[in-house]
Amino acid sequence: RSFQGVFVSAHLIESERRRDCVPDDHFHIIAPVSLYSFSLGYGEMRKKRRIRLCFGLVCCLIILGYCKYRSKNNDATVLNRTPAPRSDANILKKFTESGILRTVKTKSAYKTAVSEIQTEDNTVVQEYTVQKNMNTSNLLLKYLSNLEKLQLLLPTEMKKSVFVTGIQSVIDRDIQLYKKAFALHNFTVLYDKSSLEVLQNKNWTVLLCLSYSDAKDCFQGFQFSELKRFQKISHIPGIRSILGKKDSLCQITSASTAQIINGLRSDIQLAPTCWVMPGQYQQFASATTSLKAGHKLFFVKPVSAGSGWRSQVINLEKHEDVEYIRRFHLHSGVVQEYFGNQLSILDKPFSIRVFVLVTSLSPLRAYLYGEGIVYFRTSYRKSHHRLSTKHPWHFAQLREHLQTIRGPQAVEAVFRNIQLAVVQLLLRAEPHVATYYGAIGGDPFTGSLFRCHNCYQLLGIDLVVNTSLHVMISEVNGQPNMQEAFQEDVAVLNSIKEQMLCDLVGLVFSTDSVASAVLQIIDQLHAELASAGCGVKQKYCLIDSDLNYLLSWQREIINIGNFKQLYPSADLLLHKSSFAASHVHDTNLRDALLDNEELVDTLTEKSKSFHSTMELHDLIFDVIKLSGSAENTELASINISSLHKIKVPLLAHKMNPPVVQQQNEEYFGALLGNVLGGNKVSASPCSNSLNQMPYLSQLVVSPGRLQPSFDTQVTKYKLVIPHESPMIYMAAIPAHCSCVAKFSTDHGTNLRIETYNHVNWTFGVGDTDVHWLLLDSSHNQPWVINQYSISVTRQSLFPYEITFTTDMSHKVCALTQDCDLKVYPDRPCGLYELNDDTWQSFKSHHFKKPKCNDGNVTGHWMLPCVQCARPSTCFWHEAMWTPKNCQHTKMTQGQSKSCTSNKKILLIGDSTCRGIMYYLIEKVNGSLQDWTESYSSVTHKNVNNGLTTFTFSYYPQFWLAKKQRPVYERTLVELLEVSEPLSNDSNTVLIVGGVQWMNNHHIRVTQQVLNHTGLTGIIVILKGLSSGFYQPTTGINWVSLEGQKKLIKLQNYLSQSASMHGFKMIDTLGMTITRHKHFLYGNCACQFHKVLHFNSSVMNESANQNKVLNGYHVSGDINAVYSEIALNILCHDVT
């Protein structure tokens, strides 16, 4: 039974609370059979109610005594206000979330879990409170682990099942792709059209709601507050009503909405001005009288999709349209300004559909999928509807088009503005949606609003871009179309949807343990637990909902797939700017309240509920800043355009530099043929004929042409691409419906299969083999049934079969930066002529300069050319890296052998650092007989007749999961240990570096390790940053032009830091970024060396027979230059 409305005076409740009898405002009794809940509130008592009050108090005392008696005899648990630091509300919350309070016959697995939490958590928090100033990491880890158990615990007798409900037409449309996605993660999809018995019995782990509406089609008779913790719902109540309806979306995107949300910026325009009819008809009429000529176009939209009429564009300069709009004085609808100055593709308007996964709205966690769809639309004269006759694009095509037409900065601006608009939209919607679903089911014990921690939502958001690259929101679809496309859409869009749903399931339903990672975050933030008691001056006082947020966040990002973090994200500045001011954890406010006990109690009481996104933003901001100072990877350290945006990739790609003029026709013909009406990249319907199974129906490349032309039965092709086009787009479309095509590359002696069926791929100078594998996906493990191979040759700039001689007519040219990647604003770009008469006279003057004492001296490339304006006429094999006032000499083999004798040379870094090692080994030995593409550790002792030892350790191992990657300090210590004994002098040399992962953290750690191991007297050489990741290669994050400029600044900062520690630095960034197109291999466009295998036949005169010698050669003139500089540094005493 439940007694409510029993009022007692405030002083009575306070006295009982202080004697630890009841909680602050209520108490709860949990019994095996009966549940008693008493809500004791505050109120002023009238005299005529005193009798009722006395009666109520007598009832309370009688039932309290009876319950205590039952507690002793029936093992009931009474949650009193005990001295334990953890509040009863928190413990009760755990019981509520785990299902203990909702059923008499509790699952055995849940009994065990709750028992552990009840006994262990109280003990943990008590011990933590007592030992606050000691090492409490183990106690915190236990506490976090218990919270994590409640998130992930699934009864052993429960199967991973998905119950499908919603509107029949939507289910029929979308169910097939959802089935595939869940099946890949071992879920069973349950769908009974005639019965909701499964839903009512709650024997499911996922409720898949496929409907346009918010709740009526999926949740009739269903209580959200009764969800078990392990259960998930593909729907956040309220989000479709708030964002999916045109009238409410109009209000949300209005600047006035942001103004009433404290702390949220109101100067970001998310959509053109709109008016909700008929309520705002007069405001609209007043606004139109002040509009200038040419601004008379307006959308007229229905409030919802089921209104029976489509949106259209009207022109108020037309009499019939004016008469039409007057109807809305009494009828509902939304009127919105037309998109002004809309960006177009070949004179065709377009919209962008992005897929956004929201796993928590308050506080916000949202992810943007890495691929999307570009829909072409009619002009305003035909109401801006989708063009069904033109095939949509995917993002790679849009990026390449923007790069070609507007440049790389445009690509970055568009996708950055997309992120900003979507995040701002969700932040504005948060309080409205929270209010909506807060009314669905409040907590009957705490009185707090309902917050659906079990809910997630996939949104399809349509946006348009204007000529200023500003992004505006057109529409939000709470049930994006997941129907498989056959004729109207290109086949590649099916794979986008299918892969997105697969990644969605992997992200939302991950069961990885991240308690240790969250513990590290808490330790680094020096945060405290509210349940253990926080000082009022503590910046971060974390409640259980904060901890659950951190646990879910960390678990999601390690299973992120092709989703990109939208919020929280590593793009700190972008989302920090979404708030006008921060109001979270204001220590100045707490200081002002120190002497006000009542306000301090109010502040503490507030922390017992939950925090909104804005309240948690500073905490999130600091967490991401901590990650930026920790370990980086070769790929992750260059995300977006900032060097401090670490770990989490976002959606953006930098595109290939424009192709040369004579190729534009072919380029647009292949890539944009579908827009122009061609069929080069369109997909014909697949076939179910077995005769078509082992074949591709299309194999598309752009730019370039396959030789021979594509034929389904020809499996080997050649492709020649110009030097100026290092990246090409490729796609393969199977002929049979059950087959898929996967891109693969030769990786050493192995074939590495990628997960893509269409790619942007970069090719270094020379030959590269790539393959398309045709797989039969009708089996549990797809079978490879055919392979199409393409031998790609990227042309060199070197003149063929021409040897430079001094008597040839030539100019002496200098190169300080490439015009396609202009990173030095004060330097000229491209090759320019110097005043020197001949190449010979230039070299003679240069070799008279003193020897450089440092590898970090600013320089530029010098080379002879027939014409400086034409790079293809230059003799690039003669190019020299020339500092202004000194020279880097090239040592002879004899000098190299002499100076490296008795030295141990240790290298730690990525494959570019490994290239230095093998160049030096070949230099000293005169040949390279032993080579391995090691991604761990390797030692070479057979160098210089055994007098020199090289040991290399690969770092960072970015292919591993984050928690499995060895940190830099550990890798360095292990390298030193395996190389022992080491002398603390110049006979020990340490070379550190890679592409773009190094920061000041690694320099500090290097110094600390050397101090600890007593090796402060050795030679330390830092290989600087290198060019790379400037192409939109599929699966690779990029560095924008602004990011490349920041690389220059970071390189200068690292140089200063190295000098302070007594380390030597090599300016590899200046050498490589100037010739960034001259890379030799690698989809990172960062490898300036290539190891070639050869065999030669020599005559053995004594045996009168030929002997075949196998060996290797490290090619690459840029790698040779900075390797020679490293050799000069470690041989500094050799003249």
Side-chain angles (χ1 to χ4, degrees):
R1 296 180 181 181
S2 176
F3 290 81
Q4 297 182 352
V6 182
F7 296 92
V8 296
S9 60
H11 70 272
L12 175 60
I13 293 181
E14 181 64 15
S15 62
E16 291 296 319
R17 183 185 68 81
R18 291 181 178 178
R19 291 202 303 269
D20 299 326
C21 294
V22 295
D24 292 349
D25 51 3
H26 54 267
F27 67 89
H28 313 276
I29 303 166
I30 303 172
V33 178
S34 301
L35 169 65
Y36 301 89
S37 175
F38 298 88
S39 298
L40 306 181
Y42 298 91
E44 293 183 0
M45 302 294 102
R46 298 180 180 180
K47 292 182 179 180
K48 63 181 180 180
R49 294 183 179 177
R50 288 180 179 175
I51 297 177
R52 188 181 305 172
L53 171 63
C54 294
F55 176 76
L57 292 176
V58 171
C59 291
C60 290
L61 294 175
I62 293 174
I63 296 175
L64 179 61
Y66 175 69
C67 291
K68 288 184 177 180
Y69 170 78
R70 289 198 57 185
S71 173
K72 294 179 181 179
N73 292 276
N74 296 328
D75 295 326
T77 302
V78 180
L79 300 185
N80 290 327
R81 184 74 174 190
T82 65
R86 185 176 183 184
S87 67
D88 291 341
N90 285 337
I91 298 178
L92 184 64
K93 179 180 178 183
K94 294 305 174 188
F95 277 88
T96 305
E97 292 174 341
S98 60
I100 298 304
L101 298 184
R102 293 193 299 271
T103 177
V104 174
K105 298 179 181 179
T106 311
K107 301 288 185 180
S108 59
Y110 277 89
K111 287 184 178 180
T112 304
V114 172
S115 177
E116 291 177 356
I117 292 175
Q118 183 181 15
T119 57
E120 185 175 339
D121 270 18
N122 285 329
T123 304
V124 167
V125 177
Q126 289 176 359
E127 293 179 6
Y128 177 81
T129 306
V130 173
Q131 303 178 24
K132 255 188 185 182
N133 298 324
M134 306 178 189
N135 184 1
T136 57
S137 296
N138 291 335
L139 298 175
L140 281 175
L141 183 59
K142 289 181 181 180
Y143 191 81
L144 290 169
S145 298
N146 283 339
L147 291 180
E148 193 170 53
K149 288 177 183 178
L150 286 176
Q151 287 187 341
L152 305 178
L153 188 62
L154 180 68
T156 55
E157 57 269 34
M158 286 286 294
K159 295 182 179 180
K160 295 170 63 177
S161 57
V162 181
F163 180 75
V164 183
T165 183
I167 298 178
Q168 187 61 48
S169 60
V170 181
I171 295 174
D172 293 340
R173 183 192 71 183
D174 296 347
I175 191 61
Q176 295 305 320
L177 285 184
Y178 278 104
K179 278 185 176 180
K180 291 180 181 180
F182 278 106
L184 289 173
H185 293 274
N186 301 317
F187 280 86
T188 301
V189 178
L190 307 174
Y191 176 42
D192 186 351
K193 299 181 181 180
S194 61
S195 175
L196 293 180
E197 181 180 355
V198 179
L199 173 63
Q200 295 169 350
N201 292 338
K202 304 180 183 64
N203 294 323
W204 45 265
T205 51
V206 185
L207 181 61
L208 181 61
C209 173
L210 301 180
S211 169
Y212 297 119
S213 64
D214 241 315
K216 65 180 181 180
D217 298 308
C218 295
F219 311 116
Q220 292 182 355
F222 179 77
Q223 296 297 324
F224 279 87
S225 58
E226 295 184 357
L227 280 172
K228 298 176 184 178
R229 190 62 185 178
F230 64 84
Q231 292 177 319
K232 295 282 188 180
I233 296 182
S234 67
H235 173 74
I236 297 177
I239 203 167
R240 290 174 183 165
S241 296
I242 301 299
L243 295 179
K245 297 178 66 177
K246 303 294 191 301
D247 53 351
S248 56
L249 180 63
C250 174
Q251 302 293 343
I252 292 296
T253 56
S254 171
S256 60
T257 300
Q259 291 174 353
I260 64 176
I261 302 176
N262 187 25
L264 196 60
R265 287 180 57 179
S266 60
D267 58 338
I268 301 177
Q269 186 179 10
L270 296 182
T273 306
C274 57
W275 299 265
V276 178
M277 303 297 179
Q280 295 181 327
Y281 181 85
Q282 292 300 328
Q283 293 94 316
F284 168 72
S286 300
T288 54
T289 59
S290 61
L291 292 176
K292 300 178 181 179
H295 292 75
K296 300 291 186 177
L297 298 177
F298 294 87
F299 282 108
V300 181
K301 304 178 180 180
V303 171
S304 59
S307 301
W309 55 283
R310 296 181 67 185
S311 64
Q312 57 182 300
V313 177
I314 62 170
N315 187 346
L316 293 187
E317 293 180 343
K318 296 181 179 181
H319 176 72
E320 59 270 24
D321 286 350
V322 173
E323 292 299 318
Y324 175 77
I325 200 66
R326 286 177 179 172
R327 298 169 46 193
F328 290 90
H329 180 67
L330 298 175
H331 294 82
S332 63
V334 175
V335 179
Q336 185 178 48
E337 289 182 347
Y338 187 75
F339 306 114
N341 301 319
Q342 187 176 356
L343 189 65
S344 61
I345 298 176
L346 299 178
D347 297 325
K348 295 185 183 297
F350 66 93
S351 65
I352 300 173
R353 164 62 64 92
V354 297
F355 296 103
V356 177
L357 173 61
V358 182
T359 57
S360 172
L361 189 64
S362 183
L364 180 62
R365 286 195 317 275
Y367 302 86
L368 186 68
Y369 194 64
E371 267 295 354
I373 307 174
V374 180
Y375 291 106
F376 294 96
R377 294 186 173 269
T378 61
S379 67
Y380 72 88
R381 294 181 179 86
K382 295 184 178 180
S383 296
H384 203 255
H385 293 149
R386 283 186 188 175
L387 271 173
S388 59
T389 58
K390 302 300 179 186
H391 293 311
W393 277 9
H394 49 86
F395 277 178
Q397 293 168 294
L398 175 63
R399 293 188 187 102
E400 189 152 2
H401 172 77
L402 290 175
Q403 160 71 23
T404 304
I405 303 302
R406 301 290 295 269
Q409 295 88 347
V411 180
E412 179 182 2
V414 167
F415 286 95
R416 177 178 288 270
N417 289 339
I418 288 175
Q419 298 164 39
L420 182 60
V422 174
V423 170
Q424 186 73 197
L425 175 71
L426 295 175
L427 291 174
R428 292 187 188 184
E430 176 186 348
H432 300 275
V433 177
T435 302
Y436 182 97
Y437 69 64
I440 292 178
D443 190 332
F445 304 125
T446 64
S448 63
L449 292 177
F450 169 71
R451 300 172 65 79
C452 188
H453 300 288
N454 309 64
C455 302
Y456 69 93
Q457 181 95 39
L458 178 66
L459 300 175
I461 301 179
D462 291 337
L463 310 103
V464 295
V465 185
N466 65 16
T467 54
S468 299
L469 306 183
H470 181 69
V471 171
M472 293 211 176
I473 295 172
S474 170
E475 183 179 348
V476 178
N477 193 323
Q479 187 62 57
N481 189 330
M482 290 293 120
Q483 186 175 21
E484 292 183 284
F486 295 100
Q487 295 182 353
E488 293 188 358
D489 293 334
V490 291
V492 71
L493 299 186
N494 284 338
S495 65
I496 292 176
K497 295 177 182 179
E498 185 174 349
Q499 186 61 47
M500 178 193 62
L501 292 180
C502 182
D503 289 345
L504 181 152
V505 177
L507 185 152
V508 173
F509 300 98
S510 165
T511 58
D512 292 300
S513 176
V514 293
S516 298
V518 174
L519 173 64
Q520 184 177 2
I521 291 173
I522 295 174
D523 288 342
Q524 291 176 324
L525 290 175
H526 305 292
E528 294 289 351
L529 301 186
S531 53
C534 295
V536 290
K537 287 190 175 182
Q538 193 70 37
K539 183 177 182 182
Y540 294 122
C541 187
L542 305 180
I543 58 178
D544 281 0
S545 63
D546 300 335
L547 299 177
N548 280 316
Y549 181 92
L550 293 174
L551 288 167
S552 298
W553 176 23
Q554 296 303 306
R555 186 179 306 111
E556 288 166 357
I557 63 177
I558 64 175
N559 295 276
I560 200 168
N562 199 31
F563 280 98
K564 317 294 178 184
Q565 284 199 88
L566 192 58
Y567 187 96
S569 85
D571 201 343
L572 300 173
L573 297 179
L574 177 64
H575 301 317
K576 190 72 172 177
S577 65
S578 295
F579 299 95
S582 178
H583 302 277
V584 190
H585 306 295
D586 193 336
T587 55
N588 293 329
L589 172 64
R590 287 181 176 267
D591 291 339
L593 299 178
L594 281 176
D595 298 326
N596 192 325
E597 182 178 354
E598 180 180 355
L599 290 180
V600 170
D601 288 341
T602 302
L603 188 63
T604 305
E605 189 66 31
K606 179 181 178 181
S607 70
K608 293 180 182 178
S609 54
F610 50 77
H611 293 133
S612 66
T613 304
M614 188 174 64
E615 291 172 323
L616 275 189
H617 187 75
D618 279 0
L619 171 67
I620 295 167
F621 190 88
D622 284 347
V623 171
I624 297 177
K625 283 197 297 185
L626 286 174
S627 69
S629 64
E631 293 298 317
N632 305 330
T633 69
E634 183 173 344
L635 301 182
S637 62
I638 53 145
N639 290 326
I640 318 303
S641 58
S642 170
L643 298 175
H644 302 287
K645 297 162 188 173
I646 307 301
K647 287 189 175 180
V648 188
L650 287 178
L651 178 63
H653 286 289
K654 184 179 185 300
M655 297 308 298
N656 184 31
V659 294
V660 294
Q661 183 66 31
Q662 59 265 30
Q663 293 173 329
N664 281 345
E665 181 178 356
E666 179 182 352
Y667 170 80
F668 281 105
L671 187 61
L672 311 182
N674 53 338
V675 179
L676 298 173
N679 58 4
K680 292 187 178 181
V681 293
S682 61
S684 57
C686 60
S687 170
N688 288 311
S689 171
L690 293 178
N691 294 330
Q692 298 297 318
M693 179 167 283
Y695 302 118
L696 292 176
S697 65
Q698 293 189 56
L699 184 57
V700 180
V701 296
S702 177
R705 292 182 178 177
L706 295 174
Q707 295 294 333
S709 298
F710 175 73
D711 186 292
T712 58
Q713 298 188 12
V714 176
T715 58
K716 293 187 177 181
Y717 298 90
K718 293 184 178 180
L719 176 65
V720 178
I721 58 176
H723 183 273
E724 292 300 310
S725 299
M727 188 190 72
I728 64 175
Y729 171 78
M730 294 183 288
I733 302 175
H736 196 272
C737 297
S738 66
C739 291
V740 294
K742 296 298 182 183
F743 182 73
S744 64
T745 58
D746 283 335
H747 189 63
T749 58
N750 300 318
L751 195 66
R752 183 172 65 188
I753 301 178
E754 309 290 348
T755 59
Y756 318 112
N757 56 8
H758 63 103
V759 295
N760 289 326
W761 210 254
T762 52
F763 292 87
V765 175
D767 298 329
T768 307
D769 291 333
V770 296
H771 313 276
W772 287 98
L773 302 183
L774 195 61
L775 292 85
D776 180 3
S777 61
S778 62
H779 306 277
N780 292 333
Q781 295 294 329
W783 296 354
V784 177
I785 58 177
N786 205 350
Q787 174 179 309
Y788 288 75
S789 301
I790 307 176
S791 179
V792 181
T793 300
R794 180 165 164 240
Q795 295 175 334
S796 171
L797 277 176
F798 302 171
Y800 295 104
E801 300 180 359
I802 298 178
T803 302
F804 175 74
T805 59
T806 57
D807 58 349
M808 295 181 65
S809 175
H810 63 272
K811 307 290 185 182
V812 179
C813 307
L815 178 65
T816 57
Q817 63 180 331
D818 193 307
C819 292
D820 288 337
L821 199 60
K822 193 174 180 180
V823 293
Y824 300 104
D826 56 341
R827 300 183 188 180
C829 71
L831 287 163
Y832 58 93
E833 185 178 349
L834 293 184
N835 296 325
D836 300 78
D837 292 335
T838 65
W839 181 246
Q840 199 66 22
S841 63
F842 162 76
K843 291 173 64 176
S844 176
H845 173 73
H846 174 71
F847 290 146
K848 293 179 181 178
K849 296 177 183 178
K851 182 179 178 180
C852 296
N853 294 321
D854 194 356
N856 199 37
V857 183
T858 302
H860 54 266
W861 290 100
M862 301 291 299
L863 68 163
C865 303
V866 177
Q867 295 180 17
C868 294
R870 296 179 59 193
S872 60
T873 67
C874 298
F875 299 89
W876 288 93
H877 50 268
E878 294 286 329
M880 297 173 53
W881 178 254
T882 57
K884 183 176 181 181
N885 298 317
C886 62
Q887 64 165 313
H888 296 297
T889 61
K890 186 173 183 179
M891 303 180 67
T892 65
Q893 182 186 358
Q895 290 175 319
S896 304
K897 293 174 69 71
S898 175
C899 82
T900 58
S901 294
N902 301 316
K903 287 185 183 295
K904 289 189 175 182
I905 302 175
L906 287 59
L907 301 95
I908 178 172
D910 54 36
S911 52
T912 61
C913 190
R914 186 178 59 211
I916 295 178
M917 177 181 72
Y918 283 114
Y919 177 90
L920 296 179
I921 293 176
E922 184 178 8
K923 175 83 174 185
V924 174
N925 280 350
S927 64
L928 183 61
Q929 300 299 321
D930 186 14
W931 171 80
T932 178
E933 192 176 16
S934 173
Y935 287 91
S936 55
S937 296
V938 61
T939 299
H940 294 277
K941 297 183 178 180
N942 58 340
V943 182
N944 201 6
N945 298 321
L947 297 176
T948 307
T949 300
F950 283 84
T951 304
F952 168 77
S953 288
Y954 197 100
Y955 176 88
Q957 297 182 12
F958 53 85
W959 58 89
L960 296 177
K962 177 184 171 183
K963 60 184 180 181
Q964 297 176 346
R965 297 173 190 161
V967 297
Y968 175 74
E969 181 178 2
R970 172 185 167 187
T971 307
L972 178 57
V973 170
E974 290 179 350
L975 174 63
L976 297 176
E977 290 176 348
V978 77
S979 304
E980 291 179 346
L982 298 172
S983 59
N984 187 27
D985 52 31
S986 61
N987 282 330
T988 301
V989 181
L990 176 63
I991 301 177
V992 182
V995 182
Q996 292 164 3
W997 55 263
M998 183 186 293
N999 59 29
N1000 193 46
H1001 164 77
H1002 301 93
I1003 297 178
R1004 291 197 309 267
V1005 169
T1006 300
Q1007 185 66 72
Q1008 292 169 3
V1009 171
L1010 295 180
N1011 291 341
H1012 181 73
T1013 55
L1015 294 174
T1016 56
I1018 69 173
I1019 298 175
V1020 179
I1021 303 173
L1022 301 182
K1023 174 195 171 296
L1025 307 177
S1026 296
S1027 173
F1029 303 101
Y1030 63 89
Q1031 294 287 350
T1033 307
T1034 303
I1036 298 294
N1037 299 303
W1038 69 294
V1039 180
S1040 68
L1041 179 60
E1042 291 302 315
Q1044 298 280 357
K1045 293 178 180 179
K1046 291 179 181 179
L1047 283 176
I1048 302 295
K1049 295 180 180 179
L1050 179 59
Q1051 172 71 27
N1052 294 334
Y1053 175 68
L1054 294 177
S1055 176
Q1056 296 173 8
S1057 179
S1059 179
M1060 291 174 57
H1061 289 85
F1063 301 159
K1064 296 293 185 179
M1065 173 75 77
I1066 304 175
D1067 181 21
T1068 49
L1069 182 59
M1071 301 175 198
T1072 56
I1073 203 169
T1074 308
R1075 297 174 59 181
H1076 62 95
K1077 295 178 186 176
H1078 294 203
F1079 69 97
L1080 298 183
Y1081 78 97
N1083 53 352
C1084 63
C1086 63
Q1087 302 291 353
F1088 294 89
H1089 79 283
K1090 192 172 187 179
V1091 179
L1092 305 176
H1093 179 260
F1094 69 91
N1095 59 71
S1096 60
S1097 179
V1098 297
M1099 187 67 178
N1100 187 337
E1101 296 182 357
S1102 61
N1104 194 24
Q1105 60 183 5
N1106 290 333
K1107 181 180 180 181
V1108 178
L1109 297 179
N1110 291 316
Y1112 302 90
H1113 169 64
V1114 182
S1115 64
D1117 58 327
I1118 300 177
N1119 175 76
V1121 169
Y1122 54 72
S1123 297
E1124 286 286 347
I1125 295 175
L1127 188 60
N1128 271 268
I1129 295 175
L1130 65 91
C1131 299
H1132 64 282
D1133 57 338
V1134 177
T1135 59

